[in-house]
Amino acid sequence: MLEIKNLSYTTSEGKTILKNINLSVDEKFVAITGPNGSGKSTMAKIIAGIITPTEGRIILDGIDITDMSITERANNGVSFAFQQPVRFKGITVRDIISIAAGRDVSFDEACEYLSEVGLCAREYITREINDSLSGGELKRIEIATAFARSTKLTIFDEPEAGIDLWSFQSLIKVFERMYEQTNGSILIISHQERILSFAEKIILLSAGEIAAVGSKEDILPKLLAANEACNCRKAVN
């Protein structure tokens, strides 16, 4: 279980991004959503250890990971997939999957991970993680590496970005298989209705605070109604 207690973050310029966040994540699939600038990605990066919170604690399975480095958190079972995946010149796709898995994966194993995300493995396995790959290809490879890591908490920052040609249903199937393999939690930052409708719990952020938390049955209809009302006002104006 992930527990976030009294979490706040203020930038060095004095701008408050998150204010006294308290929540727990014990479900299989949890989505964090909200308008741009609401603090979604900041919270995800704080959990992963990329950003240090101003206040508050982060507890994973009873262990306080707040003061741990990114590497220490990774060793304790936290994975993070960026909205814009990082490029690594000189490192092949098979290399990055082996690094993620923590061992030298075989050619066939690497092919299996790539096939899971809809890539023709033999065309990609020896390619470098560089500018020759499109954003969509990089995103799929990053999801494959997260699958290979199989940690108890995997955080995805807008995993649907750049994969328009790959169906959302395929993405969801990967998440389901990832859960079956790890029995951990998958935390997804997303605006997409199709992603939100797949989550067991939805956390709505607004202006750095939790505006609502609940099941998709409780939260999603309210979000859709609010979006529809907003679109109507824009049409009138």
Side-chain angles (χ1 to χ4, degrees):
M1 174 188 286
L2 173 70
E3 298 175 87
I4 297 176
K5 300 181 178 181
N6 305 314
L7 188 72
S8 296
Y9 176 68
T10 301
T11 68
S12 57
E13 292 79 21
K15 181 179 180 181
T16 298
I17 307 297
L18 295 172
K19 308 170 189 175
N20 198 35
I21 301 292
N22 287 277
L23 61 88
S24 63
V25 173
D26 197 25
E27 293 80 5
K28 184 191 303 185
F29 305 110
V30 176
I32 301 177
T33 193
N36 291 335
S38 59
K40 303 183 302 297
S41 292
T42 297
M43 188 162 76
K45 290 176 181 177
I46 287 174
I47 297 169
I50 299 168
I51 296 175
T52 302
T54 307
E55 296 178 8
R57 311 306 295 175
I58 304 167
I59 313 296
L60 182 63
D61 287 349
I63 299 172
D64 191 331
I65 64 171
T66 312
D67 300 321
M68 290 185 181
S69 66
I70 296 174
T71 301
E72 289 170 327
R73 293 186 199 210
N75 291 336
N76 276 272
V78 179
S79 293
F80 183 84
F82 289 89
Q83 184 177 349
Q84 298 295 329
V86 181
R87 299 175 189 268
F88 300 96
K89 187 176 181 180
I91 297 178
T92 67
V93 172
R94 182 178 176 183
D95 290 337
I96 202 71
I97 292 175
S98 293
I99 292 169
R103 57 186 174 80
D104 185 17
V105 300
S106 68
F107 183 90
D108 289 342
E109 285 179 295
C111 286
E112 287 179 11
Y113 286 122
L114 291 172
S115 295
E116 288 282 359
V117 296
L119 293 178
C120 181
R122 295 186 182 278
E123 294 182 10
Y124 289 91
I125 198 165
T126 59
R127 289 180 64 178
E128 289 188 12
I129 311 294
N130 57 24
D131 291 339
S132 69
L133 294 170
S134 70
E137 289 170 328
L138 281 170
K139 176 65 74 172
R140 295 199 198 189
I141 291 166
E142 185 177 48
I143 294 171
T145 61
F147 196 178
R149 281 215 69 210
S150 297
T151 52
K152 54 189 171 185
L153 176 64
T154 306
I155 306 164
F156 288 98
D157 192 354
E158 298 195 20
E160 71 274 11
I163 55 172
D164 295 338
L165 298 179
W166 187 42
S167 73
F168 278 86
Q169 193 59 41
S170 296
L171 178 61
I172 290 169
K173 286 180 179 178
V174 170
F175 291 154
E176 289 173 339
R177 286 192 287 270
M178 190 181 299
Y179 175 80
E180 291 169 1
Q181 185 168 311
T182 65
N183 200 33
S185 294
I186 297 172
L187 188 62
I188 305 170
I189 311 296
S190 182
H191 295 283
Q192 289 288 340
E193 178 184 344
R194 284 172 287 184
I195 294 289
L196 299 180
S197 63
F198 148 77
E200 292 175 270
K201 175 190 282 185
I202 296 176
I203 299 163
L204 174 62
L205 290 184
S206 179
E209 299 179 283
I210 294 180
V213 178
S215 68
K216 61 186 175 186
E217 290 80 11
D218 290 335
I219 304 298
L220 192 54
K222 297 174 185 176
L223 284 176
L224 297 178
N227 289 339
E228 184 176 348
C230 181
N231 290 335
C232 288
R233 285 195 297 271
K234 288 180 180 179
V236 171
N237 293 333

